[in-house]
Amino acid sequence: MTHDALKKIAAEAAIDYIESDSILGVGTGSTTRYFIDALKKIKNRIEGAVPSSNQTAEQLKAAGIRVLDPNTVSELPLYVDGADEFNDLFQLIKGGGGAQTREKILARLAKKFICIADESKKAELIGTHPIAIEVLPFARSFVAREIVKMKGSPSYREGFITDNGNCILDIYNLPLSDPYTMEEKLKSIPGALENGIFAHRTADLILLGTSAGVTELVAHKR
């Protein structure tokens, strides 16, 4: 099966976890697009969805799904999103689409966070994929220099502006033996809004598309 086919079956499997008359959070990315396609078929069973990006909002609207502002909800029963990488601790690397700040907010709002991914995203050690960090334009060079001090190699994502009006630095070669601590260190840099390490709010369930079908990986209670 192709990567796209594996993403599709993982995304479709997430539909079974949606409660009737609920509001859910929806992430951003190629796997999430397949989820929205599947969600369209049961759109009358849900109240609506809170998107993690303007792109996702447009996709939801095109599917006829009611789009809600996150400021109108105090909690989400479910948040569904993809990942660039994940490890055995269910820690994730996200941000390939540059929406990690809003994605992290929705993940924290949610009682349950389901990650949908194909089997190529599983890694023994996360960090092979570059780590995206949203940065205030005013602080871009300063943040880049601070990252170099951490032994990372920052690269400015030229021409990309986040939905929050900021820029993205993609960090390569960052030592990530302790994702939990590194997530905090990156957040502590003045001008760095949010990064793509999801080590504090990990996934609760990973639906993994494999050549043998969808595998359910359940996180141990923390």
Side-chain angles (χ1 to χ4, degrees):
M1 297 175 73
T2 65
H3 285 313
D4 282 344
L6 297 179
K7 291 177 182 181
K8 187 172 186 290
I9 61 173
E12 291 173 343
I15 296 297
D16 293 338
Y17 293 86
I18 298 173
E19 300 174 3
S20 296
D21 302 318
S22 65
I23 297 170
L24 63 148
V26 181
T28 298
S30 57
T31 310
T32 305
R33 282 196 292 270
Y34 288 117
F35 175 69
I36 294 172
D37 288 341
L39 191 62
K40 181 179 180 179
K41 300 172 184 176
I42 64 157
K43 62 183 179 182
N44 294 327
R45 280 176 40 197
I46 62 172
E47 283 192 33
V50 179
S52 64
S53 67
N54 294 340
Q55 179 187 74
T56 296
E58 291 305 313
Q59 291 167 355
L60 289 167
K61 290 175 184 176
I65 297 166
R66 182 185 176 203
V67 172
L68 298 170
D69 188 309
N71 292 302
T72 64
V73 299
S74 58
E75 186 178 70
L76 294 169
L78 179 65
Y79 176 59
V80 179
D81 201 355
D84 299 315
E85 286 182 319
F86 72 90
N87 62 17
D88 287 336
L89 296 177
F90 287 47
Q91 296 170 330
L92 316 172
I93 297 295
K94 295 179 49 55
Q100 70 273 8
T101 299
R102 297 188 184 190
E103 289 172 339
K104 198 169 283 190
I105 291 168
L106 295 189
R108 291 295 291 267
L109 269 175
K111 292 175 65 177
K112 187 169 191 174
F113 175 14
I114 295 180
C115 176
I116 48 177
D118 68 86
E119 57 190 350
S120 71
K121 303 301 174 66
K122 191 175 189 305
E124 185 175 345
L125 294 174
I126 56 175
T128 301
H129 194 280
I131 297 163
I133 182 167
E134 183 170 358
V135 177
L136 295 174
F138 179 85
R140 176 168 61 88
S141 294
F142 167 74
V143 173
R145 290 192 295 271
E146 292 298 301
I147 290 168
V148 171
K149 293 177 184 177
M150 298 178 183
K151 304 188 184 305
S153 302
S155 176
Y156 174 45
R157 195 182 294 185
E158 292 191 42
F160 185 90
I161 299 174
T162 71
D163 290 344
N164 305 313
N166 299 311
C167 56
I168 293 285
L169 293 176
D170 291 305
I171 311 171
Y172 294 83
N173 307 316
L174 188 69
L176 211 59
S177 58
D178 184 356
Y180 192 93
T181 300
M182 185 56 74
E183 181 179 359
E184 284 300 310
K185 286 182 70 175
L186 290 173
K187 285 185 68 172
S188 71
I189 302 173
L193 186 58
E194 192 55 84
N195 62 78
I197 303 173
F198 281 60
H200 286 71
R201 181 39 167 132
T202 57
D204 299 302
L205 173 69
I206 295 177
L207 297 176
L208 193 65
T210 75
S211 56
V214 177
T215 299
E216 297 182 358
L217 305 176
V218 182
H220 297 298
K221 291 183 179 180
R222 295 182 293 276

